[in-house]
Amino acid sequence: MGIVLLAVPLLCLLVFFLHPLATVLVRSVTDANGAWTLANYGRLFDDPGLPRAASRSLAIGLATTLCTVSLGLCLAMALHRSRLPGKALIRGALLLPMLAPSLVLALGLVCLLGRNGLVHRLTGLPTDIYGFWGLLIANTLYGLPQVVIIVSAALGRTPARHYDAAESMGATPWRQFLDVTIPRLRFALLAAAFLVFTETLTDFGSAVVVGGSYRVLAVEIYGEVVGQLDFAMGATLGVVLLAPALLSVWLARLAKRRQDTGDASPGRTLVPARHPWRDVALGGISLLALLPLVGVVATVAYVSVVKLWPYDRTLTLANYIGGMPDGYGPVATSITMSLLAACAGVLLVFALSAGLRRAPPFIAKPAQFIASLPAAVPGLVLGLGYVLAFNHGPLSSWLYGSVAIVAACSLFHYHAQAFLTMQTGMRQVPEALDDAVAVSGGTTFHVLRDAVWPFAAPAAISTFFYLFMRSMVTLSGVIFLVTPELGLASVTVMRLDENGFLAQAAAYAMCVVLASALALGAMRLLLHVLKDRRHVA
């Protein structure tokens, strides 16, 4: 059974991840007749718009990274190195981007600061958020929670004794920040920067809604495939987009490994001293960063209950009661797909992580590399790979146009994070417990049930809801896989926005936010119940 635990998940990774990825790579170096050629890459320089899109992607990626990491550092310091009141409000606001697709924030910006946005309607001031600045704001707001999570984890591992020693030597709070905090955070900041850069470089949702004429590589790939049906050029652009993403993720993992070599047991947690000027400064920056975030999401909620945006702002629930063009069908399909991805994902990553616990290094290391590789592959590239790999062939008859193929794409798009979460849970299992169950005559099934599952259950619950929530809000990975008969809520938001039905798009967006919020609440409740049961036991 131990072999099956490894074989089934690795076979799924081979079929549903490596195969589509290899198909994209092969399609980029073949012509219409299947002959090998590099002409597709030569065509990149024939269209002046493509190098311009590449330079714009790099520009918006670098600018977003700088803004997001700077603001994220300040927010993490406000949460862990200040005595600000209302920290729960900061954490609550940071949850909002995790409950919605990136295009929801872009949609909120358009409704708030667009040419016919709420600000223009109320004040008459000329507003135009489309282009570089709109993308910068949308991507920065979307990336903030991830930076805060990474930096907060590093702050939590910084021992209080370091600050005690610095204070005893006469270091001012500012010197402590420069000489203790920043050196301890350097690898966390690098990891956060690479993560934000990669996500910005490959993001499609914000770019298609608020980018306007500022076209980036992700939008060019979509245009080549959907607009011109040029799959060869789409695959070639996908490989171009894949290269910096792979490099960025590799560097981020190097930074994370260096970060994890710090104190395994940080000891006493630092209690920040009173410092009014510091708290006022951090409070002001937090307000500056989070008010737009709350305002953008609140604008989407407001537009969803408006009769006809922006011309008739009469409040009504008509958009939710019979006003949606496709009813609640796309929302139900998204929930079904997300549940399928989450259930299959938990089973696969649990089996793989359990099988790797006793696997020899020559098997474990390659398997861990393959399982973590999806983190470096943009959703657009993987979705294009699914189109190229599964539109024809033996699997196409039952996969094409089905919920299953969309769920598979979503699952393997987020497989790396789910796998790493499960592995963290597996490390809590005492090895001696396995041996005790085995010596008592237990089979592999008994070992998994009686020794592994009780310790890995919290990680499994977190993995399930992570996959569910990410599948609910995904767009780039599934944009090529939807059909007229198979609609998803996130894609429906994009389609309605393109056609100018902003109130209906906002209603679908809020349905996604509500479903994700309920899932988050259910996850926290289950984890709390599980924790209470352990204390009782």
Side-chain angles (χ1 to χ4, degrees), residues 12 14 27 42 70 93 98 131 148 183 202 302 306 321 413 440:
C12 290
L14 175 65
R27 190 68 184 88
S70 301
M98 304 174 69
V148 174
T202 60
Y302 167 67
V306 163
I321 306 173
H413 182 199
S440 301

Side-chain angles (χ1 to χ4, degrees), residues 438-452:
V439 168
S440 301
T443 63
T444 303
F445 172 77
H446 293 103
V447 171
L448 293 177
R449 185 191 66 185
D450 301 331
V452 175

Side-chain angles (χ1 to χ4, degrees), residues 304 317-331 492 496 503-511:
S304 73
L317 292 177
N319 295 319
Y320 293 96
I321 306 173
M324 294 181 175
D326 299 315
Y328 285 94
V331 179
T492 303
L496 289 172
Q504 291 88 342
Y508 277 112
M510 293 311 298
C511 288

Side-chain angles (χ1 to χ4, degrees), residues 5 49 118 121 132 149 152 170 175 214 225 231 280 295 325 368 412 420 502 526:
L5 289 175
L118 189 61
R121 289 280 170 175
F132 175 86
I149 289 171
S152 294
R175 292 305 309 177
Y214 194 87
V225 175
F231 290 95
V280 168
Q368 288 174 339
F412 288 99
L420 293 175
L502 296 186
L526 283 174

